[in-house]
Every structure is written in C-alpha cells, then in structure tokens.
Amino acid sequence: GVSTAGLFQLRGCCDIWNPKAIRSAMSASFLVPCYSDMESWAATEQYLTQELGVRHIWAATMMEGDDDKSSAKGSSKASTPHYQVDWCQAPTALIIGSEGSGLS
C-alpha cells in the first residue's frame, strides 16, 4: 500500500504546528516525521534522493495535456494525472506548492 515517510517544508511555508493546520490534517502531522525550514529545494531534493533513496519525484500541478506540444524537454510528458502514477512503487516523493503561488 501507499504510506508516508515524512513531510518536508521549505522556508516560508505555513506553520504545520498551527492549531488550524493540525485540525485540518486531522492530527496526521503527529504520525510522520516532519522536517521544517528546509534550506532550499536543492537541499530537499538532495536529502530525498541521497539520504532516503527516493527515485521518483512527482510535482502536483494544475497542468493538463500529454500530447507532443506539452512534452517537457527530457521527459515523456509535461503532466501525468495522479491516477496514472504507481504510488506503490517505493520510494516516491510528491511535491506540493502553496495554494497561492504553486511550485515556485
């Protein structure tokens, strides 16, 4: 099955220990390791790949399309629907941006 190994936050993210955040997560924050105030995306990616052995990193975006026009250079698709990802192949990371600015 699918499981969560941890939560990583870059600097400037919301406070996961804010009472509203804990309530909205239904206290799941207490069930996984939380790494707050990560220095940068590069440092986070390095930790995920080198320390945790993550081989697949997916980004949650609002992009659509999988035709040749939307293909990103060096990748097979610019966007893959979440239901087409094999979340059971471990280890895998899901990157989620902020509601306002997304992945920036």
Side-chain angles (χ1 to χ4, degrees):
V2 177
S3 66
T4 301
L7 171 70
F8 295 84
Q9 287 189 290
L10 296 178
R11 290 183 180 156
C13 289
C14 70
D15 180 11
I16 60 170
W17 305 117
N18 178 296
K20 290 182 181 181
I22 292 172
R23 184 172 51 243
S24 68
M26 298 186 308
S27 300
S29 309
F30 298 113
L31 301 176
V32 296
C34 296
Y35 304 88
S36 296
D37 203 28
M38 297 296 288
E39 182 178 317
S40 66
W41 164 241
T44 305
E45 181 180 25
Q46 180 178 358
Y47 187 84
L48 288 169
T49 57
Q50 294 180 5
E51 300 295 324
L52 299 181
V54 170
R55 293 181 307 231
H56 305 282
I57 299 176
W58 297 93
T61 68
M62 297 300 291
M63 296 173 59
E64 291 187 29
D66 57 359
D67 58 12
D68 290 335
K69 293 179 185 174
S70 65
S71 294
K73 187 174 183 177
S75 68
S76 60
K77 294 183 180 181
S79 181
T80 301
H82 70 279
Y83 52 84
Q84 289 184 355
V85 175
D86 181 1
W87 295 106
C88 295
Q89 66 180 357
T92 301
L94 173 63
I95 310 303
I96 302 172
S98 70
E99 183 178 3
S101 59
L103 297 171
S104 55

Coordinates of all heavy atoms in Angstrom, one line a residue:
G1 N 0.8 -1.2 0.0 CA 0.0 0.0 0.0 C 0.8 1.3 0.0 O 2.1 1.2 0.1
V2 N 0.2 2.4 0.0 CA 0.8 3.7 0.0 C 1.0 4.1 1.4 O 0.1 4.0 2.2 CB 0.0 4.7 -0.8 CG1 0.6 6.1 -0.8 CG2 -0.2 4.2 -2.3
S3 N 2.2 4.7 1.7 CA 2.4 5.2 3.0 C 3.2 6.5 2.9 O 3.7 6.9 1.8 CB 3.2 4.2 3.9 OG 4.5 4.0 3.3
T4 N 3.3 7.2 4.0 CA 4.0 8.5 4.0 C 5.2 8.3 4.9 O 5.1 7.9 6.1 CB 3.1 9.6 4.6 OG1 2.0 9.7 3.7 CG2 3.8 10.9 4.6
A5 N 6.4 8.7 4.4 CA 7.6 8.6 5.2 C 8.0 9.9 5.9 O 8.7 9.9 6.8 CB 8.8 8.1 4.3
G6 N 7.4 11.0 5.4 CA 7.8 12.2 6.1 C 7.2 13.4 5.3 O 6.7 13.3 4.2
L7 N 7.2 14.6 6.0 CA 6.8 15.8 5.4 C 7.9 16.8 5.5 O 8.6 17.0 6.5 CB 5.6 16.4 6.3 CG 5.2 17.8 6.0 CD1 4.5 17.8 4.6 CD2 4.2 18.3 7.1
F8 N 8.3 17.4 4.3 CA 9.4 18.3 4.2 C 8.8 19.7 3.8 O 8.0 19.8 2.9 CB 10.3 17.9 3.1 CG 11.0 16.6 3.4 CD1 10.4 15.4 3.2 CD2 12.3 16.6 4.0 CE1 11.0 14.2 3.5 CE2 12.9 15.4 4.4 CZ 12.3 14.2 4.1
Q9 N 9.2 20.7 4.5 CA 8.8 22.1 4.2 C 9.9 23.0 4.0 O 10.9 23.0 4.7 CB 8.0 22.6 5.4 CG 6.7 22.1 5.6 CD 5.9 22.8 6.7 OE1 6.3 22.8 7.9 NE2 4.9 23.6 6.3
L10 N 9.8 23.8 2.9 CA 10.9 24.8 2.6 C 10.6 26.0 3.5 O 9.5 26.2 4.0 CB 10.8 25.2 1.2 CG 11.2 24.1 0.2 CD1 11.1 24.6 -1.2 CD2 12.6 23.5 0.4
R11 N 11.6 26.9 3.6 CA 11.4 28.1 4.4 C 10.3 28.9 3.8 O 10.1 29.0 2.6 CB 12.7 28.9 4.4 CG 13.8 28.3 5.2 CD 15.0 29.1 5.2 NE 16.0 28.4 6.1 CZ 17.3 28.6 6.0 NH1 17.8 29.4 5.1 NH2 18.1 27.9 6.7
G12 N 9.5 29.6 4.6 CA 8.4 30.4 4.2 C 7.1 29.7 4.1 O 6.1 30.3 3.7
C13 N 7.1 28.4 4.3 CA 5.8 27.7 4.3 C 5.0 28.0 5.5 O 5.5 28.5 6.5 CB 6.1 26.2 4.2 SG 6.7 25.6 2.6
C14 N 3.7 27.6 5.5 CA 2.9 27.7 6.7 C 3.4 26.9 7.8 O 4.2 26.0 7.6 CB 1.5 27.3 6.3 SG 1.2 25.6 6.1
D15 N 3.0 27.2 9.0 CA 3.4 26.5 10.2 C 2.6 25.3 10.4 O 1.4 25.4 10.6 CB 3.3 27.5 11.4 CG 3.7 26.8 12.7 OD1 4.3 25.7 12.7 OD2 3.4 27.4 13.8
I16 N 3.2 24.1 10.2 CA 2.4 22.9 10.3 C 2.0 22.6 11.7 O 1.1 21.8 12.0 CB 3.2 21.6 9.8 CG1 4.5 21.4 10.6 CG2 3.5 21.8 8.3 CD1 5.2 20.1 10.3
W17 N 2.5 23.3 12.7 CA 2.1 23.2 14.1 C 1.0 24.2 14.5 O 0.6 24.3 15.7 CB 3.3 23.2 15.0 CG 4.3 22.2 14.6 CD1 5.6 22.4 14.2 CD2 4.1 20.8 14.5 NE1 6.2 21.2 13.8 CE2 5.3 20.2 14.1 CE3 3.0 19.9 14.8 CZ2 5.4 18.8 13.9 CZ3 3.2 18.6 14.6 CH2 4.3 18.0 14.2
N18 N 0.6 25.0 13.6 CA -0.5 25.9 13.8 C -1.8 25.1 14.1 O -2.0 24.1 13.5 CB -0.7 26.8 12.6 CG -1.9 27.8 12.7 OD1 -3.0 27.3 12.9 ND2 -1.6 29.0 12.7
P19 N -2.5 25.5 15.2 CA -3.7 24.7 15.5 C -4.7 24.4 14.4 O -5.2 23.3 14.2 CB -4.4 25.5 16.6 CG -3.2 26.3 17.2 CD -2.3 26.6 16.1
K20 N -4.8 25.4 13.5 CA -5.7 25.2 12.3 C -5.1 24.2 11.4 O -5.9 23.4 10.8 CB -6.0 26.5 11.6 CG -6.8 27.5 12.4 CD -7.1 28.8 11.6 CE -7.9 29.7 12.4 NZ -8.2 31.0 11.6
A21 N -3.8 24.2 11.2 CA -3.2 23.2 10.3 C -3.3 21.8 10.9 O -3.6 20.8 10.2 CB -1.7 23.6 10.1
I22 N -3.1 21.7 12.2 CA -3.2 20.4 12.8 C -4.6 19.8 12.7 O -4.9 18.7 12.4 CB -2.8 20.4 14.3 CG1 -1.3 20.7 14.4 CG2 -3.1 19.2 15.1 CD1 -0.7 21.0 15.7
R23 N -5.6 20.7 13.0 CA -7.0 20.3 12.9 C -7.4 19.9 11.5 O -8.0 18.9 11.2 CB -7.9 21.5 13.4 CG -9.4 21.1 13.4 CD -10.3 22.2 14.0 NE -10.1 23.5 13.5 CZ -9.6 24.5 14.2 NH1 -9.3 24.4 15.4 NH2 -9.5 25.7 13.6
S24 N -6.9 20.7 10.4 CA -7.3 20.3 9.1 C -6.6 19.0 8.6 O -7.1 18.3 7.8 CB -6.9 21.4 8.1 OG -5.5 21.6 8.0
A25 N -5.4 18.7 9.2 CA -4.7 17.4 8.9 C -5.3 16.3 9.7 O -4.8 15.2 9.6 CB -3.2 17.6 9.1
M26 N -6.2 16.6 10.6 CA -6.8 15.6 11.5 C -5.7 14.9 12.3 O -5.7 13.7 12.5 CB -7.7 14.6 10.7 CG -8.9 15.3 10.1 SD -10.0 14.2 9.3 CE -9.1 13.1 8.2
S27 N -4.7 15.7 12.8 CA -3.6 15.3 13.6 C -2.7 14.3 12.9 O -1.8 13.7 13.6 CB -4.1 14.7 14.9 OG -4.9 15.7 15.6
A28 N -2.8 14.1 11.6 CA -1.8 13.2 10.9 C -0.4 13.7 11.0 O 0.5 12.9 10.9 CB -2.2 13.1 9.5
S29 N -0.2 15.0 11.3 CA 1.2 15.6 11.4 C 1.9 14.9 12.5 O 3.2 14.9 12.5 CB 1.1 17.1 11.8 OG 0.2 17.7 10.8
F30 N 1.3 14.3 13.5 CA 1.9 13.6 14.6 C 2.3 12.2 14.2 O 3.1 11.5 15.0 CB 1.0 13.6 15.8 CG 0.7 14.9 16.4 CD1 -0.6 15.4 16.3 CD2 1.7 15.8 16.9 CE1 -0.9 16.7 16.8 CE2 1.4 17.0 17.4 CZ 0.1 17.5 17.4
L31 N 1.9 11.7 13.1 CA 2.2 10.3 12.7 C 3.4 10.1 11.8 O 3.8 9.0 11.6 CB 0.9 9.7 12.0 CG -0.4 9.8 12.9 CD1 -1.5 9.3 12.1 CD2 -0.2 8.9 14.1
V32 N 3.9 11.2 11.2 CA 5.0 11.1 10.3 C 6.1 12.1 10.7 O 5.8 13.1 11.4 CB 4.6 11.4 8.9 CG1 3.6 10.4 8.3 CG2 4.1 12.8 8.7
P33 N 7.4 11.8 10.4 CA 8.4 12.8 10.7 C 8.2 14.0 9.9 O 7.8 14.0 8.7 CB 9.7 12.0 10.2 CG 9.4 10.6 10.1 CD 7.9 10.6 9.8
C34 N 8.4 15.2 10.5 CA 8.3 16.5 9.9 C 9.6 17.2 9.9 O 10.2 17.4 10.9 CB 7.2 17.3 10.6 SG 5.6 16.6 10.5
Y35 N 10.0 17.6 8.7 CA 11.2 18.4 8.5 C 10.9 19.8 8.1 O 10.5 20.0 6.9 CB 12.1 17.7 7.5 CG 12.4 16.3 7.8 CD1 11.6 15.2 7.3 CD2 13.5 15.9 8.5 CE1 11.8 13.9 7.6 CE2 13.8 14.6 8.8 CZ 13.0 13.6 8.3 OH 13.2 12.3 8.6
S36 N 10.9 20.7 9.0 CA 10.6 22.1 8.7 C 11.8 22.9 8.4 O 12.9 22.6 8.8 CB 9.8 22.7 9.9 OG 8.6 22.0 10.1
D37 N 11.6 24.0 7.7 CA 12.6 25.0 7.4 C 13.7 24.5 6.6 O 14.9 24.8 6.9 CB 13.1 25.6 8.7 CG 13.7 27.0 8.5 OD1 13.3 27.7 7.6 OD2 14.6 27.4 9.3
M38 N 13.4 23.6 5.6 CA 14.5 23.1 4.7 C 15.0 24.3 4.0 O 14.3 25.2 3.6 CB 13.9 22.1 3.7 CG 13.3 20.9 4.4 SD 14.6 19.9 5.2 CE 15.5 19.2 3.9
E39 N 16.3 24.3 3.8 CA 17.1 25.5 3.3 C 16.6 25.9 1.8 O 16.4 27.0 1.5 CB 18.6 25.2 3.3 CG 19.4 26.3 2.8 CD 20.9 25.9 2.9 OE1 21.3 25.4 3.9 OE2 21.6 26.2 1.9
S40 N 16.5 24.9 1.0 CA 16.1 25.2 -0.4 C 15.6 23.9 -1.1 O 15.7 22.8 -0.5 CB 17.4 25.6 -1.2 OG 18.3 24.5 -1.3
W41 N 15.0 24.0 -2.3 CA 14.6 22.9 -3.0 C 15.7 21.9 -3.3 O 15.6 20.7 -3.2 CB 13.8 23.3 -4.3 CG 13.7 22.1 -5.2 CD1 14.1 22.0 -6.4 CD2 13.0 20.8 -4.9 NE1 13.8 20.8 -7.0 CE2 13.2 20.0 -6.0 CE3 12.3 20.3 -3.8 CZ2 12.6 18.8 -6.1 CZ3 11.8 19.0 -3.9 CH2 12.0 18.3 -5.0
A42 N 16.9 22.5 -3.7 CA 18.0 21.7 -4.0 C 18.5 20.8 -2.8 O 18.8 19.7 -2.9 CB 19.2 22.5 -4.5
A43 N 18.5 21.4 -1.6 CA 18.8 20.7 -0.4 C 17.8 19.6 -0.1 O 18.2 18.5 0.3 CB 19.0 21.7 0.8
T44 N 16.6 19.9 -0.3 CA 15.5 18.9 -0.1 C 15.6 17.8 -1.0 O 15.5 16.6 -0.7 CB 14.1 19.6 -0.2 OG1 14.1 20.7 0.7 CG2 13.0 18.6 0.1
E45 N 15.8 18.1 -2.3 CA 16.0 17.1 -3.3 C 17.2 16.2 -3.0 O 17.1 15.0 -3.1 CB 16.1 17.7 -4.7 CG 16.2 16.7 -5.8 CD 16.4 17.3 -7.2 OE1 16.9 18.5 -7.3 OE2 16.0 16.7 -8.2
Q46 N 18.3 16.8 -2.6 CA 19.5 16.0 -2.3 C 19.2 15.1 -1.1 O 19.6 13.9 -1.1 CB 20.6 17.0 -1.9 CG 21.9 16.2 -1.6 CD 23.0 17.2 -1.3 OE1 22.9 18.4 -1.4 NE2 24.2 16.6 -0.9
Y47 N 18.5 15.6 -0.1 CA 18.2 14.7 1.1 C 17.3 13.6 0.7 O 17.5 12.4 1.1 CB 17.5 15.6 2.2 CG 17.3 14.8 3.4 CD1 18.3 14.6 4.4 CD2 16.1 14.1 3.7 CE1 18.2 13.9 5.5 CE2 15.9 13.4 4.9 CZ 17.0 13.3 5.8 OH 16.8 12.5 6.9
L48 N 16.2 13.9 -0.2 CA 15.3 12.8 -0.6 C 16.0 11.7 -1.4 O 15.8 10.6 -1.1 CB 14.2 13.4 -1.5 CG 13.2 14.3 -0.8 CD1 12.3 15.0 -1.8 CD2 12.3 13.4 0.1
T49 N 16.9 12.1 -2.3 CA 17.5 11.2 -3.2 C 18.7 10.5 -2.5 O 18.8 9.2 -2.7 CB 18.0 11.8 -4.5 OG1 18.8 12.9 -4.2 CG2 16.8 12.3 -5.3
Q50 N 19.5 11.2 -1.8 CA 20.7 10.6 -1.3 C 20.5 9.9 0.1 O 21.1 8.9 0.4 CB 21.9 11.6 -1.2 CG 22.3 12.0 -2.6 CD 23.4 13.1 -2.6 OE1 23.9 13.4 -1.6 NE2 23.7 13.6 -3.8
E51 N 19.7 10.6 0.9 CA 19.6 10.0 2.3 C 18.4 9.0 2.4 O 18.5 8.1 3.1 CB 19.3 11.2 3.3 CG 20.4 12.2 3.4 CD 21.7 11.6 3.9 OE1 21.6 10.7 4.8 OE2 22.8 12.0 3.5
L52 N 17.3 9.3 1.6 CA 16.1 8.4 1.7 C 16.0 7.5 0.5 O 15.2 6.6 0.5 CB 14.9 9.3 1.8 CG 14.8 10.2 3.1 CD1 13.5 10.9 3.1 CD2 14.9 9.3 4.3
G53 N 16.8 7.7 -0.5 CA 16.8 6.8 -1.7 C 15.6 7.0 -2.6 O 15.2 6.0 -3.3
V54 N 15.0 8.2 -2.6 CA 13.8 8.4 -3.4 C 14.3 8.4 -4.9 O 15.3 9.0 -5.3 CB 13.2 9.8 -3.1 CG1 12.2 10.2 -4.1 CG2 12.6 9.7 -1.7
R55 N 13.6 7.6 -5.7 CA 13.9 7.5 -7.1 C 12.9 8.2 -8.0 O 13.2 8.5 -9.2 CB 13.9 6.0 -7.5 CG 15.1 5.3 -6.9 CD 15.1 3.9 -7.3 NE 13.8 3.3 -7.1 CZ 13.5 2.1 -6.5 NH1 14.5 1.4 -6.0 NH2 12.3 1.7 -6.3
H56 N 11.7 8.5 -7.5 CA 10.7 9.1 -8.3 C 10.1 10.3 -7.6 O 9.7 10.2 -6.5 CB 9.5 8.2 -8.6 CG 9.9 6.9 -9.2 ND1 10.2 6.8 -10.6 CD2 10.2 5.7 -8.7 CE1 10.6 5.5 -10.8 NE2 10.6 4.8 -9.7
I57 N 10.2 11.5 -8.2 CA 9.7 12.7 -7.6 C 8.6 13.3 -8.5 O 8.9 13.6 -9.7 CB 10.8 13.8 -7.4 CG1 11.9 13.2 -6.4 CG2 10.2 15.1 -6.8 CD1 13.1 14.1 -6.2
W58 N 7.4 13.4 -8.0 CA 6.3 13.9 -8.7 C 5.9 15.3 -8.2 O 6.0 15.5 -7.0 CB 5.1 13.0 -8.6 CG 5.4 11.6 -9.2 CD1 5.8 10.5 -8.6 CD2 5.2 11.3 -10.6 NE1 6.0 9.5 -9.5 CE2 5.6 9.9 -10.7 CE3 4.8 11.9 -11.7 CZ2 5.6 9.2 -11.9 CZ3 4.8 11.2 -12.9 CH2 5.2 9.9 -13.0
A59 N 5.5 16.2 -9.0 CA 5.0 17.5 -8.6 C 3.5 17.6 -8.9 O 3.0 17.3 -10.0 CB 5.8 18.6 -9.4
A60 N 2.8 18.1 -7.9 CA 1.4 18.4 -8.0 C 1.2 19.7 -8.7 O 1.7 20.7 -8.2 CB 0.7 18.4 -6.7
T61 N 0.6 19.7 -9.9 CA 0.4 20.9 -10.7 C -1.0 21.0 -11.2 O -1.7 20.0 -11.1 CB 1.4 21.0 -11.9 OG1 1.0 20.0 -12.8 CG2 2.8 20.8 -11.5
M62 N -1.3 22.0 -11.8 CA -2.6 22.2 -12.5 C -2.5 22.0 -14.0 O -3.4 22.4 -14.7 CB -3.2 23.6 -12.1 CG -3.5 23.7 -10.7 SD -4.6 22.5 -10.0 CE -6.1 23.0 -10.8
M63 N -1.3 21.5 -14.5 CA -1.1 21.4 -15.9 C -2.0 20.2 -16.5 O -2.2 19.3 -15.8 CB 0.4 21.1 -16.2 CG 1.3 22.3 -15.8 SD 3.0 21.8 -15.9 CE 3.1 21.5 -17.7
E64 N -2.3 20.4 -17.7 CA -3.1 19.3 -18.4 C -2.4 19.0 -19.7 O -1.6 19.8 -20.2 CB -4.5 19.8 -18.7 CG -5.3 19.9 -17.4 CD -6.8 20.2 -17.8 OE1 -7.3 19.7 -18.8 OE2 -7.5 20.8 -16.9
G65 N -2.7 17.9 -20.2 CA -2.2 17.5 -21.6 C -1.1 16.6 -21.6 O -0.2 16.6 -20.7
D66 N -1.1 15.7 -22.5 CA 0.0 14.8 -22.7 C 0.4 14.6 -24.1 O 0.9 13.5 -24.5 CB -0.3 13.4 -22.0 CG -1.5 12.8 -22.5 OD1 -2.2 13.3 -23.4 OD2 -1.8 11.7 -22.1
D67 N 0.1 15.6 -25.0 CA 0.4 15.4 -26.4 C 1.8 16.0 -26.6 O 2.5 16.4 -25.7 CB -0.6 16.2 -27.3 CG -0.7 17.6 -26.9 OD1 0.1 18.1 -26.2 OD2 -1.7 18.3 -27.4
D68 N 2.3 15.9 -27.8 CA 3.7 16.3 -28.1 C 3.9 17.8 -27.8 O 5.0 18.2 -27.5 CB 4.0 16.0 -29.6 CG 4.1 14.5 -29.9 OD1 4.4 13.8 -29.0 OD2 3.9 14.1 -31.1
K69 N 2.9 18.6 -28.0 CA 3.1 20.0 -27.7 C 3.3 20.3 -26.2 O 4.0 21.3 -25.9 CB 1.8 20.8 -28.1 CG 1.6 20.8 -29.6 CD 0.3 21.5 -30.0 CE 0.0 21.4 -31.4 NZ -1.3 22.0 -31.8
S70 N 2.8 19.5 -25.3 CA 3.0 19.7 -23.9 C 4.2 19.0 -23.3 O 4.5 19.1 -22.1 CB 1.7 19.4 -23.1 OG 1.5 18.0 -23.2
S71 N 4.9 18.2 -24.1 CA 6.0 17.4 -23.6 C 7.2 18.4 -23.2 O 7.6 19.2 -23.9 CB 6.5 16.5 -24.6 OG 5.6 15.5 -24.9
A72 N 7.6 18.1 -22.0 CA 8.8 18.9 -21.5 C 10.1 18.3 -22.0 O 10.1 17.1 -22.3 CB 8.8 18.9 -20.0
K73 N 11.1 19.1 -22.2 CA 12.3 18.6 -22.8 C 12.9 17.6 -21.8 O 13.0 17.9 -20.6 CB 13.3 19.8 -22.9 CG 14.6 19.4 -23.6 CD 15.4 20.6 -23.9 CE 16.7 20.2 -24.6 NZ 17.5 21.4 -25.0
G74 N 13.2 16.5 -22.3 CA 13.9 15.4 -21.5 C 12.9 14.6 -20.7 O 13.3 13.7 -19.9
S75 N 11.6 14.8 -20.9 CA 10.6 14.0 -20.2 C 9.6 13.5 -21.2 O 9.4 14.1 -22.2 CB 9.9 14.8 -19.0 OG 9.1 15.8 -19.6
S76 N 8.9 12.4 -20.8 CA 7.9 11.8 -21.7 C 6.6 12.6 -21.7 O 5.9 12.6 -22.7 CB 7.6 10.4 -21.4 OG 7.1 10.3 -20.0
K77 N 6.3 13.3 -20.6 CA 5.1 14.1 -20.6 C 5.3 15.3 -19.7 O 6.1 15.3 -18.8 CB 3.9 13.3 -19.9 CG 3.5 12.1 -20.8 CD 2.3 11.5 -20.1 CE 1.8 10.3 -20.9 NZ 0.7 9.6 -20.3
A78 N 4.6 16.4 -20.0 CA 4.7 17.6 -19.2 C 3.8 17.4 -18.0 O 4.1 18.0 -16.9 CB 4.2 18.8 -20.0
S79 N 2.8 16.5 -18.1 CA 1.9 16.3 -16.9 C 1.4 14.9 -17.0 O 1.1 14.4 -18.1 CB 0.7 17.3 -17.1 OG -0.1 17.2 -16.0
T80 N 1.3 14.3 -15.8 CA 0.7 12.9 -15.7 C -0.4 13.0 -14.7 O -0.1 13.4 -13.5 CB 1.8 11.9 -15.2 OG1 2.9 12.0 -16.2 CG2 1.3 10.5 -15.1
P81 N -1.6 12.5 -15.0 CA -2.6 12.5 -14.0 C -2.3 11.6 -12.8 O -1.6 10.6 -13.0 CB -3.8 11.9 -14.8 CG -3.5 12.1 -16.2 CD -2.0 12.1 -16.3
H82 N -2.7 12.1 -11.6 CA -2.3 11.3 -10.4 C -2.8 9.9 -10.4 O -2.1 9.0 -9.8 CB -2.9 12.0 -9.2 CG -4.4 12.0 -9.0 ND1 -5.2 12.8 -9.7 CD2 -5.2 11.1 -8.3 CE1 -6.5 12.5 -9.5 NE2 -6.5 11.5 -8.6
Y83 N -3.9 9.6 -11.1 CA -4.4 8.2 -11.2 C -3.6 7.3 -12.1 O -3.8 6.1 -12.1 CB -5.9 8.2 -11.6 CG -6.2 9.0 -12.8 CD1 -6.0 8.4 -14.1 CD2 -6.7 10.3 -12.7 CE1 -6.3 9.1 -15.2 CE2 -7.0 11.0 -13.9 CZ -6.8 10.4 -15.1 OH -7.1 11.1 -16.2
Q84 N -2.6 7.9 -12.9 CA -1.7 7.1 -13.7 C -0.4 6.8 -13.1 O 0.4 6.1 -13.6 CB -1.6 7.8 -15.1 CG -2.8 7.7 -15.9 CD -2.6 8.3 -17.3 OE1 -1.5 8.9 -17.6 NE2 -3.6 8.2 -18.2
V85 N -0.2 7.4 -11.9 CA 1.1 7.2 -11.2 C 1.0 6.0 -10.3 O 0.0 5.8 -9.6 CB 1.4 8.4 -10.3 CG1 2.7 8.2 -9.5 CG2 1.6 9.7 -11.2
D86 N 2.0 5.1 -10.3 CA 2.0 3.9 -9.4 C 2.6 4.4 -8.1 O 3.8 4.4 -7.9 CB 2.9 2.8 -10.0 CG 2.9 1.6 -9.2 OD1 2.2 1.6 -8.1 OD2 3.6 0.6 -9.5
W87 N 1.7 4.8 -7.2 CA 2.1 5.3 -5.9 C 2.7 4.2 -5.0 O 3.3 4.5 -3.9 CB 1.0 6.0 -5.2 CG 0.6 7.2 -5.9 CD1 -0.6 7.4 -6.7 CD2 1.3 8.5 -6.1 NE1 -0.6 8.6 -7.3 CE2 0.5 9.3 -6.9 CE3 2.5 8.9 -5.6 CZ2 0.9 10.6 -7.2 CZ3 2.9 10.2 -5.9 CH2 2.1 11.0 -6.7
C88 N 2.6 3.0 -5.4 CA 3.1 1.9 -4.5 C 4.6 1.6 -4.9 O 5.2 0.8 -4.1 CB 2.2 0.6 -4.7 SG 0.6 0.8 -4.1
Q89 N 5.1 2.1 -6.0 CA 6.5 1.9 -6.3 C 7.3 2.8 -5.3 O 7.2 4.0 -5.3 CB 6.8 2.2 -7.7 CG 6.7 3.6 -8.1 CD 7.0 3.8 -9.6 OE1 7.4 2.9 -10.3 NE2 6.8 5.0 -10.1
A90 N 8.0 2.2 -4.5 CA 8.7 3.0 -3.4 C 10.2 3.1 -3.8 O 10.7 2.2 -4.4 CB 8.5 2.4 -2.1
P91 N 10.9 4.0 -3.3 CA 10.4 5.2 -2.6 C 10.0 6.3 -3.7 O 10.7 6.5 -4.7 CB 11.5 5.7 -1.7 CG 12.7 5.1 -2.3 CD 12.3 3.9 -3.1
T92 N 9.0 7.1 -3.4 CA 8.4 8.1 -4.3 C 8.1 9.3 -3.4 O 7.8 9.3 -2.3 CB 7.1 7.6 -4.9 OG1 7.4 6.4 -5.7 CG2 6.6 8.7 -5.9
A93 N 8.3 10.5 -4.0 CA 8.0 11.8 -3.3 C 7.0 12.6 -4.1 O 7.0 12.6 -5.4 CB 9.3 12.6 -3.2
L94 N 6.1 13.2 -3.4 CA 5.1 14.1 -4.0 C 5.4 15.5 -3.5 O 5.5 15.8 -2.3 CB 3.7 13.7 -3.6 CG 2.6 14.7 -4.0 CD1 2.5 14.7 -5.6 CD2 1.3 14.2 -3.4
I95 N 5.6 16.4 -4.5 CA 5.9 17.8 -4.2 C 4.7 18.6 -4.4 O 4.1 18.6 -5.4 CB 7.0 18.4 -5.1 CG1 8.2 17.4 -5.1 CG2 7.4 19.8 -4.6 CD1 8.8 17.1 -3.7
I96 N 4.3 19.4 -3.4 CA 3.1 20.2 -3.4 C 3.4 21.7 -3.1 O 4.1 21.9 -2.1 CB 2.0 19.8 -2.4 CG1 1.7 18.3 -2.7 CG2 0.8 20.6 -2.5 CD1 0.8 17.7 -1.6
G97 N 3.0 22.6 -3.9 CA 3.3 24.0 -3.7 C 2.2 24.7 -2.9 O 1.2 24.1 -2.5
S98 N 2.4 26.0 -2.7 CA 1.4 26.7 -1.9 C 0.2 26.9 -2.7 O 0.2 26.9 -4.0 CB 2.0 28.0 -1.4 OG 2.1 28.9 -2.5
E99 N -0.9 27.2 -2.1 CA -2.2 27.5 -2.8 C -2.1 28.7 -3.7 O -2.6 28.7 -4.8 CB -3.3 27.6 -1.8 CG -4.7 27.8 -2.4 CD -5.8 27.9 -1.4 OE1 -5.5 27.9 -0.1 OE2 -6.9 28.0 -1.8
G100 N -1.4 29.7 -3.2 CA -1.4 31.0 -4.0 C -0.4 31.0 -5.1 O -0.7 31.4 -6.2
S101 N 0.8 30.5 -4.9 CA 1.8 30.6 -5.9 C 2.3 29.2 -6.5 O 3.1 29.2 -7.4 CB 3.1 31.3 -5.4 OG 3.6 30.6 -4.3
G102 N 1.7 28.1 -6.0 CA 2.1 26.8 -6.5 C 3.5 26.5 -6.3 O 4.1 26.8 -5.3
L103 N 4.1 25.7 -7.3 CA 5.5 25.4 -7.2 C 6.4 26.5 -7.7 O 6.4 26.8 -8.9 CB 5.8 24.1 -8.0 CG 5.1 22.9 -7.5 CD1 5.2 21.7 -8.4 CD2 5.6 22.5 -6.1
S104 N 7.0 27.2 -6.8 CA 7.8 28.4 -7.3 C 9.2 28.2 -6.9 O 9.6 27.4 -6.1 CB 7.2 29.7 -6.8 OG 7.1 29.6 -5.4

